[in-house]
């Protein structure tokens, strides 16, 4: 077994020079960043394990994409259940905006419970 580990001199000590390999860094949206913050604050051991095995970014990307898909899927269903229609949008835009904001808040609460904080 070949040891390719290099060391950096720090005073009297040799410290391993640990580096992560290059990974594609497509920016994460809101849900990926929220998951990262949750892992960092509430599950630091899992966060460090994912980071050191280079599985953190793929995990965050998967959570991010799943959350965005689920949000797009849930919004029409919640809007229909709340009675949000195009007719309401034309007649009373402020009521329409209020109902849509309520639907989005409901959907995000579900996503937080199921994907982000689990």
């Amino acid at each position: 077994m070949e040891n390719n580990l290099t060391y950096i001199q720090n005073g009297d000590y040799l410290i391993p020079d640990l580096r992560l390999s290059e990974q594609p860094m497509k920016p994460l949206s809101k849900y990926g960043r929220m998951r990262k913050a949750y892992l960092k604050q509430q599950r630091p051991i899992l966060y460090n394990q994912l980071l050191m095995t280079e599985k953190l970014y793929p995990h965050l990307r998967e959570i991010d994409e799943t959350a965005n898909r689920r949000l797009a899927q849930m919004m029409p269903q919640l809007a229909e259940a709340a009675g949000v229609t195009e007719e309401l949008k034309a007649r009373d835009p402020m009521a329409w905006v209020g109902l849509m904001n309520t639907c989005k808040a409901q959907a995000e609460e579900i996503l937080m419970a199921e994907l982000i904080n689990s």
Side-chain angles (χ1 to χ4, degrees), residues 44-62:
I45 294 172
L46 178 59
Y47 174 82
N48 286 327
Q49 183 182 28
L50 289 170
L51 181 63
M52 295 304 289
T53 59
E54 298 185 358
K55 293 179 182 175
L56 178 63
Y57 184 77
H59 171 74
L60 297 175
R61 175 106 313 313
E62 181 181 347

Side-chain angles (χ1 to χ4, degrees), residues 1-116:
M1 188 150 106
E2 189 175 313
N3 185 0
N4 292 330
L5 193 58
T6 59
Y7 294 87
I8 299 172
Q9 184 80 33
N10 188 353
D12 292 336
Y13 301 99
L14 289 175
I15 299 175
D17 185 18
L18 302 175
R19 296 175 193 259
L20 297 174
S21 66
E22 290 295 319
Q23 295 187 8
M25 289 303 292
K26 182 179 173 189
L28 297 170
S29 73
K30 174 182 179 178
Y31 304 109
R33 292 190 311 268
M34 289 169 73
R35 176 67 175 173
K36 181 179 180 181
Y38 169 78
L39 289 174
K40 210 172 196 178
Q41 292 172 357
Q42 303 297 323
R43 309 276 308 272
I45 294 172
L46 178 59
Y47 174 82
N48 286 327
Q49 183 182 28
L50 289 170
L51 181 63
M52 295 304 289
T53 59
E54 298 185 358
K55 293 179 182 175
L56 178 63
Y57 184 77
H59 171 74
L60 297 175
R61 175 106 313 313
E62 181 181 347
I63 293 290
D64 197 36
E65 290 170 357
T66 302
N68 284 315
R69 270 196 318 271
R70 293 277 315 274
L71 182 66
Q73 181 184 25
M74 281 191 285
M75 281 300 290
Q77 296 168 349
L78 291 171
E80 183 180 341
V84 179
T85 62
E86 288 298 317
E87 189 267 327
L88 175 64
K89 184 177 180 180
R91 182 174 36 106
D92 190 356
M94 291 306 290
W96 182 86
V97 168
L99 287 172
M100 288 302 286
N101 285 342
T102 300
C103 292
K104 185 166 185 182
Q106 287 175 342
E108 286 187 338
E109 283 295 320
I110 293 168
L111 291 175
M112 290 294 291
E114 292 180 357
L115 291 174
I116 309 300

